[in-house]
Amino acid sequence: MEKKEKIASTQAAGGGLAKRLFHWMDRRAGVDKLMKESLDEPIPGGARFAYVFGSGLLFIFISQIITGICLALYYVPSAETAHTSVAYITKQVAAGAFLRSLHSYGSSAMIIVLVLHFLQTFLYGSYKGRRELLSMSGATLSLFVLGMGFTGYLLPWDQKAYFATAVGTNIVGEVPLIGEWMTRLLRGGDTIGTLTLSRFYVAHVFLIPGAILGFIAIHIFLFRKAGAAGPVNEDPVDPKMAPEGFYPKQVLMDMAFSLLLMVGLGFLAYFHPEGLGPIANPADTHFLPRPEWYYLPMFEWLKFWEGPKVVFAVVVVPGLLAALFFLLPFLDRSLERRPWRRPIPVLAVAIVLTGTIYLGMRSHLDDEHDPSTAAQLTLQEQQEKEYTQAPFEPYMESPGGTGPLALPTGPVNPQVARGRGIFQEHGCSGCHGDVGLGTTVAPSLKGVTTKFPEPQLIALLHNPNAQMRAGHMPAVDISQPDMTALLAYLGVIGTPMANVQAASGASMSAGAAGHPGEATPSGAETGSASAAPISAAATEGQQLFQERGCFACHGPAGAGGRAPAMAPMIAHLSDAQLAQLLSNPNAKMKAGGMPPFFGTDEQKNAVIAYLRTLHAPQAAPQAQQAAAPAAEQGGSVQYPDMPPSAGTATAGRTAAPVAMNSAPANAAAAPVAPSPGRALFLSQGCAACHGPTAHGTQFAPSLINVGKKFPGEKLPFLLHHPTAKMKAGGMPTVALKDEQLSQLVAYLDSLTPENSPSAVAPTAQAAAGASTSGNSPASASSAAGVATGAQTTAPVLLSPLAQQGQKIFQRMTCETCHGVGGLHGTVAAPPLAGTASLLPEDVLENLLRHHSKRMQQGGMPLTNLNAPDMKALIAYIRSMPSESN
């Protein structure tokens, strides 16, 4: 033995470096024996191209691991940054688009080769004999491959990934008993968000690949144990044909097939790279989700089942097919392998395969034959192409966040300011973004005036083309002066000149009436005619008083609301006693909903310092008596904040401060009550879709001249019995009493171009300006509130954080459901003032990130915000004043 080793050593020493290295490794690791064990596998009947699919699957899996590791170097699995990181890979990283496309196409290739491998195994009867465990391990690997495709589809976090995953997880929820639990397990809660993304990422990168590697080892071990089955006429238990080694012929065939796969995938990845759509927007109600092609048959299959029968489609049929797939070696026990001698199994597989192909093709045909669906899908493809080709934009903030806007450097063009107001009041910002730079719903309007000549652009606005109508673009029916102003604004979109204050009458009115959170001049406390300067500690305490939502109960400036006014209540308490009560409220305070104050001693002392600056509110008659002489003398007096009383509030709301001039007192004090019909229009939530001025939005058309279009009893009948098209757009049945319905119809009949809210508002404001101070913002706010019929609220001094939250609230179009400023709500969603504003910060954040069932049923979209923006939004919601009793 030693002599043989010496001879081998001598021969190796006489060879080249490669031989000496191989011999060195062989003596220490047994490489030669391992290679012979691997390559000398006997194949009955010799090598065949029909046997290449197993090796092809292994090659694709290794390719997926390599490309996946490269992608993971740049990927960040969070809802705020996932899409940006994928965009960075696609648009910035060298060969990033190629690697991502190779990975994406590799997943599809793996499904195709997997099906071919199953068909070859089935037709050749290679599962027969003592190969039951081998067949079951292969079936398990097939499920893991499908799981890889499902978990990886969400990771780009674009529109199609989000909505397809939503459909998939909803299907899981149909499983009886455990469906809801499984859905929550997959999503990490009730909604799809960062927790869902992180779970899918862990499953896609660690759990499922680890399981696949383990089962590959088991599959190969069982395959070597049972041996290759050989051709269809071979005995599966005792092979009779002369065997041929795996090496070299079968190895060369497998390598050729792998090379073919590599070239094909590389060709597709290079010449047809994978696209990336806009970032996921759960609030987009128009997006049509479509899963990856290999899940499309299941998607189409579910269309045939409704109600309780869905369980049959989701659980019974797929479960039965999976059971047959796993139990095939036990059900077909005959040793006959020739497919023409096994008609029943072959026919069954043919039916399943044909049905799957038919369902996938039918899904495509259904989409093509439905014009609206085809148009929407075409629009989605166009948006994906445009986003893929657009330059990379680094992550700055979460969707809906606010960033500093560059202000105009020169004088403001009044036409641009008026045009921006028109842009906002007609709901254009709902789709195209606050400044017209585009959203996931509609493209950017930057440069649109250079792309289309003015006459053509005006014609498009008056009569949108088919693609625009498919995106739910309404016709813009405005006067020529308004159109000129709108075009002036469109011409400066994307430049600092576009960041001007809106100056349209209707939009200014809505903003003044609906946004009481505008900050008053620095240093001025709401509730006093002239506020004395306060200390730095009290200023900090004032900000905390706003951020913690204390005035939601105690009222603006602590003047009282749901809870008593602060000044009289704390007058007899020492600072130490007050600090103790803030940290540990007594039983009466807890019963009223007072939470403990959590913060540092410095913050607590700052709040106490601010509370010491508060004064007891004056009675309303005294305030009015004090104001009257000044009004008679032509002076100007601003009413202080006070508890609501008759004559000073609308519907239980504290009236906005009004600056009085020398005009008669009754001229300024006489409110113009909104019509009962308009009040019903607002309270029933009609403004949420048709807009506060009934001029239409991206959700519903304009109602101007609707009375002429449906005269007499047609309009009441239509409100009671909406058409199928109206129902499809979300129009509910108007359930009002006859008297209320008559009032609403009378208001709708009055909506004409000459008598619409947008036309009335400037007139009413001008009339109010005749009796109020024309230079006073409070006067304009009051007149605007009267003109629009909106309830007015005392202005509240917002902290900088709450002001940022207010901008986020507006940009995320929360007002569409919760009403202007979130104060009054609509039938679509309740007000946040006096409800959500009273919740502790942690509870409110948990609700915003993980919606309750009621919020989900109401259509509350995912609040996809980063931590700073979420904190700002919570600060704004908690700063909302409580409803008056």
Side-chain angles (χ1 to χ4, degrees):
M1 189 69 176
E2 292 180 1
K3 187 177 180 180
K4 288 182 179 181
E5 289 184 359
K6 287 181 180 179
I7 293 173
S9 179
T10 303
Q11 291 175 348
L17 177 63
K19 286 186 176 181
R20 292 200 302 272
L21 180 61
F22 179 82
H23 180 70
W24 186 88
M25 290 288 297
D26 182 47
R27 295 189 65 183
R28 287 157 179 80
V31 176
D32 186 55
K33 184 178 179 181
L34 181 64
M35 292 291 290
K36 288 181 178 179
E37 185 69 22
S38 302
L39 299 177
D40 291 345
E41 172 194 350
I43 303 176
R48 296 172 185 262
F49 274 107
Y51 305 153
V52 301
F53 300 116
S55 299
L57 280 172
L58 184 61
F59 167 77
I60 296 175
F61 180 65
I62 294 173
S63 172
Q64 291 296 90
I65 290 178
I66 295 172
T67 54
I69 290 174
C70 294
L71 296 175
L73 294 175
Y74 299 94
Y75 184 74
V76 183
S78 75
E80 289 83 15
T81 54
H83 185 264
T84 307
S85 62
V86 175
Y88 180 76
I89 293 170
T90 305
K91 301 178 181 182
Q92 295 289 106
V93 176
F98 179 79
L99 281 172
R100 178 171 173 261
S101 301
L102 204 61
H103 192 77
S104 177
Y105 286 125
S107 64
S108 294
M110 203 164 187
I111 299 294
I112 295 173
V113 177
L114 179 65
V115 173
L116 293 175
H117 184 55
F118 165 74
L119 289 177
Q120 182 271 322
T121 302
F122 174 76
L123 291 176
Y124 273 58
S126 300
Y127 56 88
K128 293 177 177 289
R130 303 183 182 94
R131 294 178 176 83
E132 297 89 350
L133 292 178
L134 174 63
S135 178
M136 293 176 70
S137 65
T140 305
L141 279 170
S142 302
L143 295 182
F144 282 135
V145 170
L146 291 174
M148 284 288 286
F150 180 67
T151 54
Y153 200 67
L154 177 66
L155 301 187
W157 198 249
D158 59 359
Q159 286 281 77
K160 66 178 182 180
Y162 178 91
F163 285 102
T165 304
V167 172
T169 51
N170 287 336
I171 291 174
V172 174
E174 299 294 337
V175 178
L177 302 179
I178 62 171
E180 185 177 351
W181 174 81
M182 290 175 64
T183 301
R184 289 180 58 84
L185 178 66
L186 287 172
R187 294 181 174 180
D190 293 322
T191 57
I192 298 176
T194 296
L195 289 177
T196 317
L197 197 57
S198 62
R199 292 185 180 211
F200 275 53
Y201 179 75
V202 169
H204 187 74
V205 175
F206 299 105
L207 300 182
I208 299 180
I212 288 178
L213 285 172
F215 271 89
I216 285 176
I218 294 172
H219 194 67
I220 293 175
F221 170 77
L222 293 172
F223 176 76
R224 297 303 299 271
K225 181 68 175 176
V232 293
N233 54 350
E234 178 63 287
D235 190 312
V237 179
D238 297 315
K240 303 294 191 299
M241 294 184 177
E244 181 181 336
F246 180 71
Y247 178 83
K249 194 173 180 181
Q250 190 64 51
V251 170
L252 292 176
M253 289 181 179
D254 289 355
M255 290 179 65
F257 181 65
S258 298
L259 180 62
L260 182 65
L261 288 173
M262 185 186 302
V263 171
L265 292 175
F267 185 89
L268 284 173
Y270 185 81
F271 291 102
H272 193 269
E274 184 75 9
L276 178 66
I279 189 171
N281 178 19
D284 185 0
T285 58
H286 306 305
F287 192 88
L288 295 178
R290 291 296 181 268
E292 197 59 77
W293 66 268
Y294 42 84
Y295 283 117
L296 207 56
M298 184 65 177
F299 177 78
E300 181 69 18
W301 167 253
L302 293 175
K303 294 180 182 179
F304 297 98
W305 309 91
E306 295 181 357
K309 297 179 181 178
V310 173
V311 176
F312 178 80
V314 172
V315 180
V316 178
V317 174
L320 182 61
L321 291 177
L324 292 175
F325 185 41
F326 272 85
L327 300 178
L328 181 62
F330 299 97
L331 298 176
D332 188 7
R333 301 296 295 173
S334 163
L335 295 181
E336 177 60 59
R337 296 178 55 190
R338 288 167 291 187
W340 55 88
R341 296 289 184 90
R342 298 181 289 131
I344 295 178
V346 171
L347 182 62
V349 171
I351 291 174
V352 172
L353 188 62
T354 305
T356 302
I357 296 174
Y358 166 76
L359 289 173
M361 294 179 62
R362 174 163 178 164
S363 180
H364 280 293
L365 294 175
D366 288 348
D367 290 341
E368 292 176 358
H369 292 164
D370 186 348
S372 60
T373 300
Q376 178 63 28
L377 291 175
T378 302
L379 177 63
Q380 291 171 191
E381 292 177 2
Q382 182 65 26
Q383 289 174 345
E384 179 178 316
K385 183 183 295 185
E386 290 176 356
Y387 183 85
T388 303
Q389 296 174 352
F392 172 70
E393 295 182 5
Y395 172 76
M396 299 298 294
E397 57 190 3
S398 65
T402 58
L405 295 175
L407 297 177
T409 54
V412 175
N413 184 350
Q415 284 287 78
V416 172
R418 184 180 174 208
R420 184 174 186 183
I422 296 170
F423 185 83
Q424 292 177 348
E425 76 179 50
H426 283 271
C428 309
S429 57
C431 288
H432 293 283
D434 186 47
V435 291
L437 292 178
T439 65
T440 57
V441 180
S444 170
L445 296 177
K446 183 178 179 180
V448 69
T449 53
T450 59
K451 185 177 180 181
F452 298 99
E454 183 174 317
Q456 185 180 354
L457 183 56
I458 293 176
L460 277 175
L461 292 173
H462 282 310
N463 299 291
N465 59 32
Q467 184 178 355
M468 295 162 68
R469 288 196 299 270
H472 305 277
M473 167 76 180
V476 182
D477 296 322
I478 54 179
S479 63
Q480 182 58 42
D482 285 349
M483 181 64 75
T484 302
L486 179 61
L487 293 178
Y489 176 68
L490 295 178
V492 298
I493 284 178
T495 69
M497 293 301 297
N499 302 324
V500 297
Q501 185 68 31
S504 173
S507 62
M508 288 176 64
S509 301
H515 300 294
E518 295 295 333
T520 57
S522 179
E525 264 190 32
T526 309
S528 60
S530 59
I534 59 177
S535 65
T539 302
E540 182 185 355
Q542 182 184 28
Q543 182 171 336
L544 288 168
F545 187 84
Q546 303 294 334
E547 289 181 2
R548 300 296 179 92
C550 305
F551 70 88
C553 289
H554 292 284
R562 287 180 178 268
M566 296 295 300
M569 189 170 60
I570 66 173
H572 64 284
L573 298 175
S574 65
D575 288 354
Q577 291 174 319
L578 185 53
Q580 177 64 23
L581 276 177
L582 289 174
S583 300
N584 299 290
N586 58 34
K588 184 177 180 181
M589 295 163 68
K590 289 180 180 178
M594 170 73 178
F597 181 90
F598 295 104
T600 63
D601 291 339
E602 290 78 8
Q603 290 176 321
K604 194 181 302 180
N605 292 334
V607 172
I608 293 173
Y610 170 65
L611 295 180
R612 294 300 184 192
T613 66
L614 301 179
H615 302 286
Q618 297 178 341
Q622 294 176 354
Q624 293 170 354
Q625 291 172 7
E632 291 173 0
Q633 297 172 7
S636 179
V637 175
Q638 189 175 19
Y639 286 142
D641 287 331
M642 63 192 75
S645 59
T648 63
T650 303
R653 284 273 182 190
T654 308
V658 179
M660 308 295 295
N661 64 4
S662 57
N666 59 356
V672 180
S675 68
R678 175 159 178 79
L680 288 167
F681 180 83
L682 296 172
S683 64
Q684 293 294 310
C686 309
C689 291
H690 294 282
T693 59
H695 276 78
T697 68
Q698 70 272 23
F699 302 111
S702 170
L703 295 179
I704 306 303
N705 281 334
V706 70
K708 293 182 179 179
K709 188 175 180 181
F710 300 98
E713 293 299 320
K714 291 185 178 180
L715 185 55
F717 180 83
L718 199 62
L719 294 174
H720 274 313
H721 305 89
T723 64
K725 184 178 180 181
M726 295 164 66
K727 290 180 179 178
M731 172 71 180
T733 301
V734 179
L736 291 175
K737 297 179 180 179
D738 291 342
E739 181 181 356
Q740 292 177 317
L741 184 63
S742 299
Q743 294 170 346
L744 178 60
V745 170
Y747 170 70
L748 296 177
D749 284 337
S750 70
L751 295 177
T752 61
E754 300 78 17
N755 194 31
S756 64
S758 60
V760 173
T763 306
Q765 188 174 1
S771 59
T772 58
S773 174
N775 298 324
S776 171
S779 174
S781 175
S782 177
V786 170
T788 59
Q791 295 173 330
T792 54
T793 310
V796 175
L797 180 62
L798 293 180
S799 67
L801 185 64
Q803 290 180 30
Q804 181 187 359
Q806 183 186 36
K807 294 177 182 178
I808 296 172
F809 187 85
Q810 294 168 356
R811 185 164 295 183
M812 292 182 68
T813 64
C814 306
E815 294 175 324
T816 301
C817 292
H818 293 286
V820 179
L823 300 176
H824 309 293
T826 67
V827 293
L832 300 178
T835 54
S837 63
L838 302 179
L839 297 174
E841 294 179 20
D842 56 340
V843 176
L844 184 54
E845 179 174 1
N846 185 62
L847 271 178
L848 290 173
R849 294 200 183 277
H850 309 289
H851 303 153
S852 65
K853 288 185 178 180
R854 183 178 178 185
M855 295 165 70
Q856 292 179 61
Q857 293 169 355
M860 173 75 175
L862 177 68
T863 313
N864 184 20
L865 293 175
N866 58 25
D869 286 347
M870 178 64 76
K871 184 177 181 181
L873 180 61
I874 290 173
Y876 173 63
I877 294 175
R878 286 174 55 82
S879 70
M880 292 178 182
S882 62
E883 296 282 351
S884 301
N885 293 327

